[in-house]
Amino acid sequence: MKQSDTHIADSVAASAWETVNRVVFPVKDADLTLPLYAVEWTRPHVDAGAQDVRVNQLRVDTKHMNRRDLMNLLREGAADASAPENSFTCLSRTELEVQQGGHASLCTYFNAFPASYWRRWTAVSHVRFVATAEGKGRINLFRSNGRGLITPAGSIDIDADAPTAVSGTFDMKGLMDGGFFWFDAQAATDSTLTVSDAGWQVPVEERRAKNRTTLSIAITTFNRAPYCMNQLKAIAGEASVRERLDTIYCTDQGTDLVRNQPDFDAVAKDLGSQLTYLRQGNLGGSGGFSRGMYETCKAGNSEYVLLLDDDAISEPEAIVRAVQFADYAKRPLLVGGGMLHLDNRTVLWSQGEDIDGRQMPLRNAFGSHDFATNPLRDSPECHQRFDAQYNGWWMCLIPTSVIREIGLAIPVFIKYDDIDYAFRAKEHGYPTVSLPGVAVWHQGWHDKDISRTWEEYFMQRNRWIFALRHNQEPARTMPVNVLSADINMGLHLVYSGIGLHHKAIRDLLRGPKYVIGIYSTAMASVRKLRSTFPDSQAVTDFDEFPEPRRRFVSPSTRPTTSIRRAIDCAVNFGKAMLLPRDGRKSTAPDVAVPTMESTWNAYNGVDSALVTSPDGNSVTWMRRDDRLFRRDINEALHLSSELRRNWKRLHTAYSDPRFTSFKTWERIFKENPAQE
């Protein structure tokens, strides 16, 4: 065995090393997820923009592009057609076999070490790669920087008839803006190469947590018993997680109970004291997760609580990574996990999220990205370190010391509880880090349109509660923010959404005591109000409605610009205000609009339309009522004025620590027992 590298210095002194990123492989659904763990080696492609960011700021001059220029552009982004296939096999959770002459790369989402995040948030100065190798071949070590530029960091020649330990140490230089460490495994032409028990280690002496830490996991569920059961099985079957686990607080708020699942008794017996099954009334995600946080702090055994969605599919190794990263962080912080798409497993849907605390538009800090078609190594933008403002509670690790200091979630049932908590933690000096290589698979949002459901009330009310809590003065554009939401829904003929928006503002104007007082009854009253609007009446059969008068022609096929879209919106809004039309008495819909085509222009000149639901399960006959729309706009102006006048009073009331205190939540839990 021969090892050579100018960047590797195994002489780094350390009393002990701890593995913080095991290299793991899928043992289930490998055909769907393998590119997240290991990929076939291909010749690296260095994008010109990685060397000079100004290249990405140039427009592509398609007007003067000839065929040769086009082919060169396409060829530049094309994959290496000569790359081998199936040159490696995952033998187990921690063992990879590379076939004769094969070449595998571990520059992948789950197995590349996120060195820049460790450089930014911990005191770690060196990282060690370790593995056990057998056979003939070579292990090539690499590092990248924030531009995505790749630098060889050493190689280890393998010629071993028996499992042999290999290692190499990296310094943490050049990582301020981004960068990963990883290895590739290349077998000799006449032999296989097996790499097992690989991982990335850091010096134990640089760990902030001096004692071994543990966590509890908070899962809240409502009538998703099979999904929650799968989540419990996944955790129960991972020894590395259970070594650090105190208990899982499974808070069941539904009527289809997890404890009635066929495998529950066996899993509960296996977990023993590591499972605490709780029942309470339906308090939404806010109440379910707060219960887990509350119980964890009350028990006093865990340094962390991990909030985990019931219908997510976990990569158990990600749980351990989150805990260990938090252990080494220079200060307490929240560790968030990314969201991989449940139906398209290699797609990263979100890796942390951002929000303008005054204007309140949500956006991904990074996403989406398909690692099957665009591997990590050839995606320079993925090597940059991103600082997210918050992380969704599909997976988020929170220190219990932070919970004791800043309280529990805002008592709002659903929506904005995770956003508010991250902002509140940051205001107390505890940032959120969305760590690559830490993630769950979860369903994306493409099959939802909240404005067409009862959830619109909670979305609108809680975003304004969030704004009130974190801003002493309203934004100048606050009235526009109120109006824009109503205009958007009105131009889509979703008048029920406007009604829920207005109810949301009226309710929050009454203060936090009122919001807490209606906690358990708000959803019923919201559903009742929404049912009074025609756009809430959905059916599952097109034939229940008359045939549309004409075929729908998609306006999205016409080239447009953001300015053009804004003009179209203004024109359509002006028509509704000045030239009101009424489709309530239409004997037949004008068109049938697919939900993906439901834009402002789709309803231009349309009195009524059949519109399918985002999940494709139902259709609604939407009817224009411009006179109602005009009254709604006047009401929106009145409500925004009232919100502005009362802003300071409401800011003081909603930012009162008692709003999110343990005592407040104790009362909510007591008043909402499980309905047996």
Side-chain angles (χ1 to χ4, degrees):
M1 181 177 66
K2 179 182 178 183
Q3 178 173 328
S4 63
D5 176 55
T6 57
H7 296 279
I8 295 178
D10 273 324
S11 60
V12 174
S15 57
W17 295 83
E18 180 181 10
T19 300
V20 293
N21 266 62
R22 288 194 310 160
V23 173
V24 295
F25 305 106
V27 294
K28 183 180 180 182
D29 298 331
D31 55 328
L32 302 176
T33 65
L34 186 57
L36 296 172
Y37 297 86
V39 294
E40 301 286 349
W41 180 89
T42 58
R43 190 173 300 281
H45 169 73
V46 180
D47 184 86
Q51 302 179 59
D52 185 353
V53 70
R54 291 172 296 182
V55 172
N56 293 330
Q57 298 171 354
L58 299 176
R59 288 185 176 181
V60 177
D61 187 7
T62 55
K63 184 176 181 180
H64 298 94
M65 182 179 288
N66 59 28
R67 185 180 183 280
R68 182 189 61 193
D69 296 331
L70 176 62
M71 294 305 297
N72 285 339
L73 183 65
L74 295 175
R75 193 178 299 115
E76 182 181 343
D80 186 353
S82 62
E85 295 184 1
N86 302 319
S87 68
F88 64 86
T89 303
C90 300
L91 299 179
S92 70
R93 180 73 165 147
T94 60
E95 188 172 19
L96 180 77
E97 182 182 71
V98 184
Q99 310 304 323
Q100 294 181 7
H103 202 163
S105 176
L106 280 297
C107 185
T108 57
Y109 179 78
F110 277 127
N111 282 330
F113 180 72
S116 63
Y117 290 80
W118 282 80
R119 169 66 176 83
R120 168 65 180 87
W121 297 107
T122 77
V124 170
S125 57
H126 290 80
V127 177
R128 186 169 73 164
F129 164 75
V130 296
T132 299
E134 182 179 3
K136 291 175 61 177
R138 175 180 294 179
I139 292 176
N140 296 309
L141 298 162
F142 296 93
R143 62 190 299 157
S144 66
N145 61 15
R147 295 184 178 187
L149 292 175
I150 300 169
T151 303
S155 62
I156 305 172
D157 291 333
I158 309 296
D159 189 354
D161 296 330
T164 304
V166 297
S167 65
T169 304
F170 289 68
D171 61 47
M172 298 291 277
K173 297 178 180 179
L175 298 166
M176 291 292 286
D177 290 334
F180 288 87
F181 300 158
W182 71 91
F183 74 95
D184 293 348
Q186 183 178 11
T189 56
D190 60 346
S191 173
T192 61
L193 175 64
T194 301
V195 180
S196 60
D197 300 321
W200 298 92
Q201 299 181 334
V202 296
V204 174
E205 63 186 18
E206 294 174 337
R207 186 173 64 194
R208 177 179 56 85
K210 298 309 177 185
N211 299 317
R212 185 173 178 80
T213 60
T214 59
L215 83 156
S216 288
I217 298 176
I219 301 175
T220 180
T221 186
F222 177 78
N223 291 348
R224 286 175 172 168
Y227 294 97
C228 189
M229 191 68 242
N230 289 335
Q231 188 73 281
L232 296 178
K233 288 179 181 178
I235 297 171
E238 191 71 17
S240 61
V241 175
R242 296 187 62 175
E243 288 175 1
R244 306 295 292 267
L245 178 66
D246 287 319
T247 190
I248 304 168
Y249 290 104
C250 179
T251 303
D252 198 335
Q253 305 184 126
T255 54
D256 180 12
L257 302 181
V258 178
R259 70 185 181 194
N260 293 336
Q261 288 292 298
D263 299 331
F264 179 81
D265 289 341
V267 173
K269 182 178 179 181
D270 179 16
L271 287 168
S273 63
Q274 290 183 313
L275 175 63
T276 302
Y277 183 76
L278 304 169
R279 291 275 289 119
Q280 68 182 23
N282 184 18
L283 300 177
S286 176
F289 283 130
S290 286
R291 182 66 183 274
M293 296 159 74
Y294 171 84
E295 296 291 345
T296 300
C297 291
K298 183 180 176 182
N301 298 320
S302 304
E303 283 78 14
Y304 308 104
V305 57
L306 177 71
L307 308 185
L308 196 60
D309 255 351
D310 60 341
D311 59 345
I313 297 177
S314 298
E315 165 47 76
E317 182 65 21
I319 298 174
V320 180
R321 291 177 182 178
V323 172
Q324 292 179 308
F325 183 79
D327 281 349
Y328 281 85
K330 290 180 287 188
R331 52 177 162 156
L333 46 74
L334 284 63
V335 183
M339 187 176 81
L340 296 158
H341 199 287
L342 189 62
D343 295 333
N344 302 278
R345 299 288 182 89
T346 58
V347 174
L348 179 65
W349 195 254
S350 174
Q351 185 73 58
E353 297 182 284
D354 292 338
I355 180 174
D356 185 323
R358 292 173 68 83
Q359 307 299 332
M360 293 182 293
L362 305 176
R363 58 186 179 274
N364 286 344
F366 177 81
S368 87
H369 186 92
D370 189 348
F371 287 105
T373 57
N374 298 286
L376 175 62
R377 186 178 59 178
D378 297 330
S379 303
E381 68 278 10
C382 297
H383 292 246
Q384 183 179 346
R385 179 177 54 79
F386 292 89
D387 293 331
Q389 290 179 303
Y390 74 96
N391 201 96
W393 279 0
W394 49 77
M395 182 183 190
C396 188
L397 184 83
I398 306 175
T400 51
S401 61
V402 173
I403 298 173
R404 292 189 181 96
E405 179 178 341
I406 73 174
L408 302 172
I410 51 175
V412 293
F413 194 76
I414 57 171
K415 306 299 181 187
Y416 275 82
D417 45 353
D418 48 5
I419 303 174
D420 171 82
Y421 204 89
F423 269 66
R424 197 183 344 150
K426 182 64 179 295
E427 289 165 0
H428 284 75
Y430 310 119
T432 295
V433 178
S434 295
L435 186 65
V438 173
V440 295
W441 286 274
H442 193 281
Q443 191 59 262
W445 321 126
H446 51 78
D447 62 347
K448 294 182 179 180
D449 181 355
I450 290 176
S451 69
R452 293 173 61 184
T453 72
W454 55 268
E455 294 182 30
E456 179 68 13
Y457 167 83
F458 293 99
M459 174 65 80
Q460 296 290 354
R461 187 195 68 180
N462 299 347
R463 76 184 186 116
W464 287 113
I465 290 177
F466 163 75
L468 285 164
R469 283 172 54 79
H470 299 283
N471 297 282
Q472 295 184 10
E473 300 285 344
R476 293 179 183 178
T477 55
M478 187 270 290
V480 175
N481 206 318
V482 174
L483 285 171
S484 63
D486 287 0
I487 291 172
N488 180 60
M489 289 184 285
L491 294 181
H492 287 79
L493 312 185
V494 186
Y495 304 113
S496 64
I498 301 176
L500 297 185
H501 185 193
H502 292 177
K503 174 177 171 56
I505 296 177
R506 286 192 293 268
D507 285 354
L508 75 88
L509 284 167
R510 300 178 70 171
K513 289 184 179 179
Y514 180 78
V515 170
I516 294 173
I518 63 171
Y519 196 114
S520 60
T521 60
M523 185 166 63
S525 64
V526 165
R527 287 180 180 274
K528 183 177 180 180
L529 173 61
R530 184 173 180 271
S531 67
T532 63
F533 290 86
D535 61 75
S536 69
Q537 311 304 316
V539 301
T540 58
D541 189 351
F542 266 100
D543 290 334
E544 292 191 31
F545 296 127
E547 188 72 19
R549 291 190 174 94
R550 59 180 173 83
R551 187 175 74 86
F552 176 75
V553 178
S554 171
S556 64
T557 58
R558 306 166 193 160
T560 187
T561 63
S562 57
I563 295 177
R564 181 71 256 174
R565 289 196 298 271
I567 293 173
D568 288 342
C569 175
V571 170
N572 291 344
F573 177 65
K575 288 180 181 179
M577 294 296 101
L578 302 175
L579 302 170
R581 299 173 63 159
D582 191 345
R584 290 174 296 172
K585 296 182 179 179
S586 298
T587 58
D590 295 327
V591 293
V593 181
T595 190
M596 66 177 294
E597 300 284 358
S598 183
T599 62
W600 297 321
N601 282 341
Y603 301 97
N604 188 15
V606 173
D607 288 335
S608 70
L610 299 182
V611 186
T612 52
S613 61
D615 60 10
N617 289 326
S618 61
V619 60
T620 304
W621 191 353
M622 316 285 276
R623 299 170 181 269
R624 181 179 294 278
D625 189 349
D626 285 342
R627 286 182 174 81
L628 172 62
F629 188 24
R630 189 157 55 186
R631 292 195 297 272
D632 284 338
I633 294 300
N634 288 331
E635 176 68 5
L637 290 170
H638 169 73
L639 289 172
S640 64
S641 177
E642 190 172 353
L643 184 57
R644 176 180 288 276
R645 286 197 308 271
N646 289 277
W647 192 278
K648 289 185 177 180
R649 173 181 65 83
L650 293 169
H651 165 73
T652 300
Y654 281 106
S655 57
D656 189 322
R658 290 175 293 182
F659 186 48
T660 58
S661 69
F662 280 68
K663 187 175 180 180
T664 294
W665 275 107
E666 284 174 353
R667 187 171 73 251
I668 294 173
F669 298 146
K670 184 177 180 180
E671 294 173 353
N672 293 274
Q675 301 299 315
E676 299 295 347

